Amino acid sequence: QSALTQPRSVSGSPGQSVAISCTGTNGDVGGHDYVSWYQQHPGKVPKLIIYDVTRRPSGVPDRFSGSQSGNTASLTISGLQTDDEADYYCCSNAGSSRSVFGTGTKVTVL
Amino acid sequence: QVQLVQSGAEVKKPGSSVKVSCKISGGNYAIGWIRQAPGQGLEWMGRIIPFAGTPSYAEKYQGRLTITADMSSSTVYMQLNSLRSDDSAVYYCARVGSTGSYLFFAYWGQGTLVSVSS
């Protein structure tokens, strides 16, 4: 199972929006509506920010939103804040109770 | 309140085995193991549904990884054999969420650093 493909980095100024793509195959992203997204600050434990493509856990700001089209899922961060600077990982179910993570994207707030 | 508490850091020799524990409080749901090598991304290794006892593994770990659950102590274990230097990583246990698809990791342990060196 190959890792899902994410851009290595994206950047934006405070208040702007950035989008992170997550590309897989029909066997993972495209075959299910089970993409989740995680935020990880340096040296910290990953934190769930989006699940089942579009759903936000309680406590996660609505500045974070998810979508999916075919084999590509996307995370959009609107109204970028300095605390959003972190690594972001997508994750998809890959059938047979297996999961696969994305390669990870570093978000830089300029 | 859901809590996952992992065992402490380990230093191992190449060729040996490591067994990391994850004590769970708050619900009986699937537990996954995810690792992160230094400066690298997250990698899903495998998972188990404790009450069902049937694990599933990523292909690359088949034959080298064993995930077990002890319901009496609410603890899940991850054992990795034939350790190599590139197995040096932080190992996380994570519990799936209790809504929606149950296929996402809502709660994470604090991580266990495993260092493999001769």
Side-chain angles (χ1 to χ4, degrees), chain B residues 38-101:
Chain B
Q40 302 300 308
L42 301 174
E43 180 183 17
W44 183 84
M45 300 177 68
R47 73 170 237 169
I48 191 168
I49 302 175
F51 60 85
T54 304
S56 57
Y57 303 118
E59 276 187 36
K60 71 176 283 188
Y61 296 105
Q62 290 280 0
R64 205 161 69 94
L65 174 65
T66 304
I67 298 174
T68 56
D70 179 354
M71 295 295 293
S72 66
S73 62
S74 300
T75 303
V76 172
Y77 299 91
M78 184 282 299
Q79 179 168 328
L80 189 61
N81 301 325
S82 303
L83 289 170
R84 308 183 288 257
S85 57
D86 61 0
D87 289 319
S88 295
V90 175
Y91 290 76
Y92 294 102
C93 62
R95 202 209 84 173
V96 299
S98 53
T99 185
S101 69

Side-chain angles (χ1 to χ4, degrees), chain A:
Chain A
Q1 184 70 51
S2 299
L4 308 176
T5 301
Q6 297 181 231
R8 182 173 291 269
S9 65
V10 299
S11 61
S13 300
Q16 289 187 328
S17 295
V18 296
I20 302 169
S21 60
C22 169
T23 302
T25 67
N26 289 335
D28 39 62
V29 174
H32 316 278
D33 292 332
Y34 301 144
V35 173
S36 51
W37 289 90
Y38 303 85
Q39 177 192 62
Q40 186 180 34
H41 287 105
K44 301 296 187 183
V45 176
K47 173 189 173 184
L48 175 72
I49 55 173
I50 294 287
Y51 67 97
D52 294 353
V53 180
T54 62
R55 302 174 72 170
R56 267 188 318 275
S58 62
V60 173
D62 59 6
R63 302 185 296 103
F64 294 91
S65 62
S67 62
Q68 180 176 330
S69 177
N71 293 342
T72 298
S74 297
L75 172 72
T76 300
I77 309 173
S78 305
L80 202 59
Q81 299 181 1
T82 54
D83 189 51
D84 298 334
E85 186 160 295
D87 294 324
Y88 291 81
Y89 297 90
C90 60
C91 181
S92 173
N93 177 253
S96 301
S97 301
R98 292 182 170 84
S99 297
V100 59
F101 279 92
T103 50
T105 299
K106 180 176 178 60
V107 170
T108 300
V109 181
L110 301 172

